[in-house]
């Protein structure tokens, strides 16, 4: 995950990486991972894209405790040429894009406190590793992530990061995918969250709309609660193809002339899987 300008912490390398410090995790920290892992492993079958479960399997992520990034990287490297590196938390955008463009996934090395299993201020090792890494074992998704990193470098030069970040948000973090007549989850923000794994598929509140690259890049999103919109891709192949075949420069120029789309809006041209009631969002906002 990237954020704006900030100071590189002491002890971080020029590319902001730090040692994972696997030997320093406490028994409580490993046990927190195990509790989160077990809870999601029970819930996900039938809800998550099968490619995700396959990733958990081939990367042997069901072994107890927080994974060692070195061992995980060895397996991932053989499968798709990706590695996992530790960073101290949010890092500058250009560093984040450079890592992705070079097939390095950055992960926080810390884990949430056991009494905060469902509350995250910053992406931790469970979100980053459990949520993101299984799909990096899938060749097409692995290529998509690298394409995103390269696209980020271009977007930075064109002043269009805000637009591109929405693509990441609505796919890598909160994406849904078709599976026959069903929908499945694949975004890391959903698959690493017990509550949102249920909400994203079952709750009548959010809209579930067909993925459209330009539409997604115009759509606002919320960072503080469950999403009000989910976008559904046809397949990972289709997502990668659209990303590679689109010349983003002219698209950014075109989007700069169009207004952003509000978070709960459904457009006449949208492919609607679910017209959400938005009841959950209204209740949450009303109680704030
Ligand atoms: Fe994430």
């Amino acid at each position: 995950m990237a954020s704006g300008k900030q100071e590189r912490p002491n002890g971080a390398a020029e590319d902001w990486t730090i040692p994972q410090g696997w030997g320093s995790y406490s028994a409580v920290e490993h046990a927190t991972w195990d509790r989160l892992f077990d809870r999601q492993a029970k819930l996900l079958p039938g809800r998550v894209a099968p490619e995700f479960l396959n990733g958990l399997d081939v990367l042997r992520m069901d072994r107890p405790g927080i994974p060692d990034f070195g061992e995980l990287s060895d397996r991932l490297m053989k499968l798709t040429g990706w590695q996992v590196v530790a960073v101290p938390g949010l890092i500058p955008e250009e560093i984040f894009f450079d890592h992705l463009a070079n097939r390095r996934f950055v992960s926080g090395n810390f884990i949430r406190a056991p009494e905060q299993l469902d509350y995250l201020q910053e992406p931790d090792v469970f979100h980053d590793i459990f949520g993101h890494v299984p799909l990096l074992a899938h060749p097409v998704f692995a290529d998509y992530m690298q394409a995103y990193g390269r696209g980020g470098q271009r977007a930075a030069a064109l002043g269009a990061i805000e637009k591109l970040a929405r693509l990441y948000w609505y796919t890598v973090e909160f994406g849904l995918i078709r599976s026959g007549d069903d929908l499945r989850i694949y975004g890391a923000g959903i698959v690493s969250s017990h509550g949102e794994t249920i909400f994203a598929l079952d709750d009548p509140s959010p809209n579930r709309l067909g993925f459209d690259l330009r539409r997604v890049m115009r759509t606002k999103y919320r960072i503080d609660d469950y999403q009000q919109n989910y976008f559904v891709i046809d397949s990972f192949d289709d997502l990668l193809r659209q990303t590679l075949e689109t010349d983003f420069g002219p698209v950014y120029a075109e989007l700069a002339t169009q207004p952003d789309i509000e978070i709960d809006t459904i457009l006449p041209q949208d492919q609607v899987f679910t017209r959400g009631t938005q009841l959950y969002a209204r209740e949450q906002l009303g109680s704030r």
Side-chain angles (χ1 to χ4, degrees), residues 129-172:
I129 298 298
F130 182 88
H132 285 280
V133 171
L135 281 181
L136 290 174
H138 184 257
V140 174
F141 198 82
D143 285 352
Y144 173 67
M145 289 292 279
Q146 180 180 32
Y148 181 82
R150 289 177 173 162
Q153 293 172 321
R154 247 173 283 140
L158 295 168
I161 283 182
E162 192 194 5
K163 296 281 188 297
L164 186 69
R166 290 169 176 167
L167 176 62
Y168 190 89
W169 190 264
Y170 280 121
T171 59
V172 177

Side-chain angles (χ1 to χ4, degrees), residues 95-258:
I95 306 283
F96 178 69
F97 294 140
D98 183 65
H99 281 298
L100 293 184
N102 289 286
R103 295 174 97 88
R104 289 187 300 267
F105 189 76
V106 297
S107 170
N109 64 346
F110 55 94
I111 193 156
R112 67 199 76 180
E115 63 276 13
Q116 295 190 321
L117 277 196
D118 295 310
Y119 177 72
L120 269 194
Q121 274 174 317
E122 268 200 275
D124 70 344
V125 67
F126 186 76
H127 169 86
D128 282 335
I129 298 298
F130 182 88
H132 285 280
V133 171
L135 281 181
L136 290 174
H138 184 257
V140 174
F141 198 82
D143 285 352
Y144 173 67
M145 289 292 279
Q146 180 180 32
Y148 181 82
R150 289 177 173 162
Q153 293 172 321
R154 247 173 283 140
L158 295 168
I161 283 182
E162 192 194 5
K163 296 281 188 297
L164 186 69
R166 290 169 176 167
L167 176 62
Y168 190 89
W169 190 264
Y170 280 121
T171 59
V172 177
E173 294 292 355
F174 293 98
L176 302 185
I177 186 169
R178 292 177 77 144
S179 173
D181 290 338
D182 278 349
L183 302 183
R184 298 279 174 100
I185 59 177
Y186 72 90
I190 311 177
V191 301
S192 62
S193 158
H194 190 263
E196 197 150 2
T197 292
I198 297 166
F199 181 86
L201 289 180
D202 295 350
D203 201 281
S205 192
N207 299 328
R208 298 177 184 88
L209 306 173
F211 176 82
D212 176 282
L213 191 63
R214 285 168 176 75
R215 199 273 194 226
V216 165
M217 289 200 291
R218 288 175 60 198
T219 308
K220 296 179 180 178
Y221 59 81
R222 56 186 315 152
I223 60 169
D224 58 342
D225 209 323
Y226 298 152
Q227 297 304 299
Q228 289 179 247
N229 268 321
Y230 296 95
F231 289 99
V232 182
I233 58 170
D234 279 339
S235 66
F236 294 128
D237 288 287
D238 185 56
L239 177 63
L240 177 64
R241 187 185 52 71
Q242 284 199 48
T243 308
L244 293 179
E245 286 179 359
T246 299
D247 183 356
F248 281 72
V251 174
Y252 296 141
E254 177 193 322
L255 296 186
T257 67
Q258 297 174 346

Side-chain angles (χ1 to χ4, degrees), residues 5-168:
K5 293 273 167 279
Q6 51 196 290
E7 289 285 302
R8 175 155 55 95
N10 284 340
E14 229 163 88
D15 67 358
W16 286 65
T17 57
I18 56 171
Q20 183 192 6
W22 190 85
S24 305
Y25 291 124
S26 68
V28 170
E29 289 174 319
H30 284 302
T32 299
W33 171 282
D34 291 343
R35 279 176 65 194
L36 289 163
F37 187 101
D38 291 345
R39 199 169 62 156
Q40 287 311 90
K42 283 195 189 85
L43 187 59
L44 287 175
R47 293 178 170 270
V48 76
E51 293 87 345
F52 180 93
L53 295 175
N54 186 57
L56 281 182
D57 189 36
V58 294
L59 293 170
R60 296 161 64 193
M61 286 178 66
D62 60 342
R63 297 204 299 196
I66 299 169
D68 178 309
F69 291 2
E71 286 178 19
L72 197 53
S73 294
D74 287 345
R75 289 185 213 116
L76 205 47
M77 180 60 80
K78 286 187 194 118
L79 293 162
T80 56
W82 274 78
Q83 300 171 65
V84 178
V85 292
V87 290
L90 297 177
I91 63 172
E93 278 142 355
E94 68 274 18
I95 306 283
F96 178 69
F97 294 140
D98 183 65
H99 281 298
L100 293 184
N102 289 286
R103 295 174 97 88
R104 289 187 300 267
F105 189 76
V106 297
S107 170
N109 64 346
F110 55 94
I111 193 156
R112 67 199 76 180
E115 63 276 13
Q116 295 190 321
L117 277 196
D118 295 310
Y119 177 72
L120 269 194
Q121 274 174 317
E122 268 200 275
D124 70 344
V125 67
F126 186 76
H127 169 86
D128 282 335
I129 298 298
F130 182 88
H132 285 280
V133 171
L135 281 181
L136 290 174
H138 184 257
V140 174
F141 198 82
D143 285 352
Y144 173 67
M145 289 292 279
Q146 180 180 32
Y148 181 82
R150 289 177 173 162
Q153 293 172 321
R154 247 173 283 140
L158 295 168
I161 283 182
E162 192 194 5
K163 296 281 188 297
L164 186 69
R166 290 169 176 167
L167 176 62
Y168 190 89

Side-chain angles (χ1 to χ4, degrees), residues 252-265:
Y252 296 141
E254 177 193 322
L255 296 186
T257 67
Q258 297 174 346
D260 284 342
I261 300 170
E262 291 304 320
I263 206 161
D264 55 356
T265 298

